Amino acid sequence: MTDVPVHRYSCVIIGGGLTGLRAALEIADAGYDTAVISKVHPLRSHSVAAQGGINAALGNAKGGENDTWEAHAFDTIKGSDYLADQDAVALMCRDAPRAVIELEHMGTVFSRTQDGRIAQRPFGGAGFPRTCYAQDRTGHNILHTLYEQAVNRKIPVYEEFFVISLVHAGGRCVGCTALEIATGKVHGFVSGVVFLATGGFGRIYSRSTNALINTGDGASLALRAGAPLKDMEFVQFHPTSLYGTNILITEGARGEGGILLNSDGERFMDRYAPGSRELAPRDVVARAIQKEIDEGRGFNGGYVHLDLTFLGEDLIKKRLPGIRLITRDFTGVDPINKPIPVQPAQHYSMGGVGVSLDGRVTDVGGLYAAGECACVSVHGANRLGGNSLLETVVFGRHVAQTILKDLSGVQISSSDPVKDAVQQMERKLAAMLSRGEGEPLYRIMDELKVTMITHFGIFRREKTMIEGLKKVKELQDRFSGVIITHKGQVFNQALVQALELEGMLLLAEVVAQGALARKESRGSHARTDFPARDDNNFLTHTMARLKEGEIEILYEPVTLGMFEPKERQY
Ligand SMILES: Cc1cc2nc3c(=O)[nH]c(=O)nc-3n(C[C@H](O)[C@H](O)[C@H](O)COP(=O)(O)OP(=O)(O)OC[C@H]3O[C@@H](n4cnc5c(N)ncnc54)[C@H](O)[C@@H]3O)c2cc1C
């Protein structure tokens, strides 16, 4: 007990991606002491990998002059298959132009139109060219900008600190514990409020475009703390990832004019979405590609072609240089001369921690969440490309403003509950490390990922899902006998992975239970046994809670208002 390292802040932000950093700036500028905790250096957060761009109705591009925030809201709600909460969508789309201009003023190097304004490109499901971009490295540019701003304000960042538990006292969250990965020491953080900005959980799937760190830690922490997880069965599959490695090939490639061809040389999107073709929303295009592959019109091994060759060398070098490098380096194909082999891959977590419009986590006082780890919900059953970067900066700031309102009434707790939690975690980690024999970690991890892609992938049906859920439960049981072969304290990545896996197994079950219970098809949730959308029974959000060790599924109404649900046609 004597040398438990304990840190005290008004606000602790878990996550150094765009959401966490944008929130940190807001809180620091209001004069409160805040710290960011991140399991990797902030610049390695998955936000850095975002390629295609960020949406805002600026009206800068040719053909986009009449764009409005209302049109952006309509596209988002239609894209969501009417599951998004319309008040949240309105808040985001109305604030988008301000948020993008703010990024520009902070120093983001956006690509430009001829007359010097921020350039915008067409994206899937959007009625106007609305996606502002920095070549095909938009996330990289924005994340560096926000990180520079955080460094300028001297905001403390605990990097390579892995948060392992939230701490409660007096009915609210009063801090957290974190493993310092470099030393193996457990630290305590006492804080007035805790902000979750921990990103998505894509890595519960094999074939994912996500960074290896996207293991959904924040969502499993919140679930264990009593919060509901919302709409977790809605998992986005991006239509175009590089065949073999599943590195993302941005929708921007289709936005710039790229087309999809099957092994017969047919531009097959004509059959699936005659109006928008390659620029239909992601759920539609991913299903079309998968169907072509399943019905034997893909290439060997299961991919189709994304053809950019006719766009010309100049355009590819100017607007898609990253895509060209990735394709050349990982397949040996230069997209200037040859089509890119692509297949769908897990890409985004629409579901997440249930929060109010202002980011307060449902049922857990003192806890807030935003960004990909949360579900507010602006994406509903299917996210439009370019809306996630927007969500991070809009809600990072908005939820920080909620915190600023709430903080004035908050007394920071004594250190005792956090010190107790640190000791409890030390005992847990020691027990995990002391186990001498058991099953290797990677085997359970690999089986989980394959189970999820096989049983809860693009197309779903009851029989396969029941088998999948059984397998997930078997893996949960086997986890209790997992062995961590590396016993050291310094950079014990196996220990970190074991802690991640424990949470991933829980999230996988929530996805599975939610998917089984939702007997309809909506957005990314496509059931072959229930192919139609069912607004009478399922125009509702799934709310999953942990009750005495079991997942309980309840439903809550969707907030409508601006647009009546209609059949989606593209
Ligand atoms: C390849 C790719 C390309 C994309 N392109 C686009 C695009 O062009 N446009 C768009 O709108 N969206 C895009 N997206 C989606 C978008 O990038 C993400 O949804 C968004 O950046 C998520 O930001 P975030 O701040 O919520 O989380 P992240 O950027 O994922 O950050 C999460 C943070 O949480 C920290 N963390 C997690 N768990 C713990 C823990 N236990 N302890 C401590 N720290 C923890 C991590 O270290 C990290 O700092 C893309 C996604 C991918 C995968």
Side-chain angles (χ1 to χ4, degrees), residues 201 204-205 231-237 287 346 348 350 381 452-466 508 510-518 520-531:
F201 58 86
I204 67 172
Y205 281 83
D231 293 339
M232 292 286 281
E233 64 272 29
F234 295 100
V235 174
Q236 177 161 83
F237 286 81
R287 274 196 293 278
Q346 187 288 334
Y348 185 79
M350 265 80 72
M452 294 311 287
I453 197 93
T454 317
H455 297 265
F456 303 95
I458 297 188
F459 294 108
R460 302 165 171 186
R461 70 190 170 108
E462 186 162 89
K463 186 167 171 290
T464 17
M465 286 196 287
I466 290 175
V510 177
V511 172
Q513 299 274 18
L516 256 169
R518 185 174 282 275
E520 65 156 355
S521 289
R522 184 186 295 274
S524 66
H525 177 63
R527 287 192 57 158
T528 52
D529 47 356
F530 293 96

Side-chain angles (χ1 to χ4, degrees), residues 22 188 200 216 339:
R22 183 62 193 84

Side-chain angles (χ1 to χ4, degrees), residues 425-562:
M425 284 301 126
E426 283 171 346
R427 285 194 295 273
K428 173 178 168 160
L429 300 189
M432 286 173 82
L433 286 171
S434 69
R435 197 174 298 134
E437 52 193 64
E439 188 173 7
L441 173 81
Y442 67 84
R443 203 183 290 157
I444 301 179
M445 179 88 87
D446 288 352
E447 284 182 37
L448 172 69
K449 289 168 188 247
V450 171
T451 303
M452 294 311 287
I453 197 93
T454 317
H455 297 265
F456 303 95
I458 297 188
F459 294 108
R460 302 165 171 186
R461 70 190 170 108
E462 186 162 89
K463 186 167 171 290
T464 17
M465 286 196 287
I466 290 175
E467 287 163 15
L469 176 59
K470 213 170 122 206
K471 181 75 186 180
V472 169
K473 291 201 164 192
E474 175 208 309
L475 294 172
Q476 287 174 342
D477 288 343
R478 278 164 52 191
F479 180 79
S480 54
V482 83
I483 177 175
I484 297 160
T485 43
H486 181 65
K487 306 290 179 192
Q489 294 291 312
V490 175
F491 283 105
N492 191 339
Q493 295 295 350
L495 176 63
V496 170
Q497 279 178 17
L499 293 163
E500 287 173 342
L501 178 59
E502 189 181 19
M504 290 160 85
L505 287 163
L506 193 57
L507 299 184
E509 185 184 344
V510 177
V511 172
Q513 299 274 18
L516 256 169
R518 185 174 282 275
K519 294 186 166 58
E520 65 156 355
S521 289
R522 184 186 295 274
S524 66
H525 177 63
R527 287 192 57 158
T528 52
D529 47 356
F530 293 96
R533 192 173 88 192
D534 177 359
D535 284 346
N536 288 332
N537 294 303
F538 288 105
L539 186 56
T540 51
H541 295 296
T542 307
M543 305 298 271
R545 285 186 172 76
L546 197 57
K547 284 270 159 78
E548 288 154 19
E550 298 293 321
I551 302 294
E552 178 189 79
I553 303 274
L554 295 171
Y555 294 95
E556 276 184 10
V558 172
T559 307
L560 300 171
M562 294 177 78

Side-chain angles (χ1 to χ4, degrees), residues 15-16 19 38-39 45-47 50-53 163 217 348 372 386 388-389:
T19 312
S38 176
K39 66 178 173 178
S45 302
H46 189 60
S47 293
Q51 298 175 350
V163 172
D217 309 341
Y348 185 79
E372 191 170 343
S388 175
L389 290 185

Side-chain angles (χ1 to χ4, degrees), residues 256-273:
E256 295 295 346
I259 61 169
L260 291 165
L261 301 171
N262 64 19
S263 58
D264 298 333
E266 181 202 8
R267 189 173 178 188
F268 56 87
M269 283 312 299
D270 283 338
R271 275 187 279 120
Y272 295 92

Side-chain angles (χ1 to χ4, degrees), residues 194-234:
V194 174
F195 190 140
L196 293 173
T198 47
F201 58 86
R203 281 285 163 177
I204 67 172
Y205 281 83
S206 66
R207 255 169 66 190
S208 171
T209 66
N210 280 199
L212 292 171
I213 56 170
N214 283 15
T215 50
D217 309 341
S220 55
L221 287 171
L223 182 68
R224 290 198 203 99
L229 298 186
K230 186 171 167 186
D231 293 339
M232 292 286 281
E233 64 272 29
F234 295 100

